[in-house]
Amino acid sequence: MMIRLIPKIFFDRMAEGLDLFVNGLGFKVLHQDGELAVVARDGAKAYVVESAEYAAKDRPEVAIETDSIEDIHAEIAARRPDLLHPNLSAVIKRPWGALEFAVRDKTDVCVVFRQWPAE
């Protein structure tokens, strides 16, 4: 049984990744050593890795599914409105039926929050 997929996201400096995930999105640091931090909140988890080489090669977009998108949006908008993506700063219903909003940090890492309609 597969339990979860955990992205590894590269940053030029560890502080940039921790600013997005900890200061911006409210994740907690579960582990941190020289070039790796494991961050988590609720059931979401990510590996924040310091590597200028790989950060220069890719600025990812990752998605987090939620069942409380309005609450998460309000929390992030109050804490760090500067992170709200200019093209998806409000919760909107997308053509495929999901509610979404996004954040984007100064390094262009994008996190899309998505809530699918109840079945």
Side-chain angles (χ1 to χ4, degrees):
M1 160 180 35
M2 293 185 199
I3 297 174
R4 72 185 43 90
L5 175 68
I6 303 171
K8 185 183 287 186
I9 304 170
F10 298 97
F11 291 87
D12 190 41
R13 294 185 345 255
M14 178 65 67
E16 294 169 336
L18 295 179
D19 182 56
L20 172 61
F21 283 97
V22 176
N23 300 334
L25 305 182
F27 280 55
K28 303 289 183 212
V29 176
L30 301 181
H31 170 80
Q32 184 174 354
D33 58 32
E35 297 173 349
L36 171 74
V38 180
V39 296
R41 177 176 172 175
D42 305 322
K45 190 180 290 182
Y47 298 155
V48 175
V49 181
E50 184 175 301
S51 171
E53 176 187 357
Y54 286 103
K57 293 178 182 180
D58 182 44
R59 303 318 306 140
E61 177 181 304
V62 297
I64 298 175
E65 290 187 352
T66 179
D67 60 2
S68 57
I69 197 163
E70 295 288 348
D71 294 338
I72 292 171
H73 180 269
E75 176 190 327
I76 293 170
R79 181 188 302 132
R80 291 289 302 274
D82 61 299
L83 289 176
L84 293 172
H85 195 296
N87 297 331
L88 196 55
S89 61
V91 176
I92 63 167
K93 186 173 183 178
R94 305 295 271 175
W96 43 90
L99 295 172
E100 294 183 357
F101 80 94
V103 298
R104 184 179 74 188
D105 76 353
K106 64 183 179 181
T107 73
D108 284 330
V109 170
C110 180
V111 179
V112 177
F113 288 87
R114 181 175 296 124
Q115 181 173 332
W116 290 99
E119 293 184 14

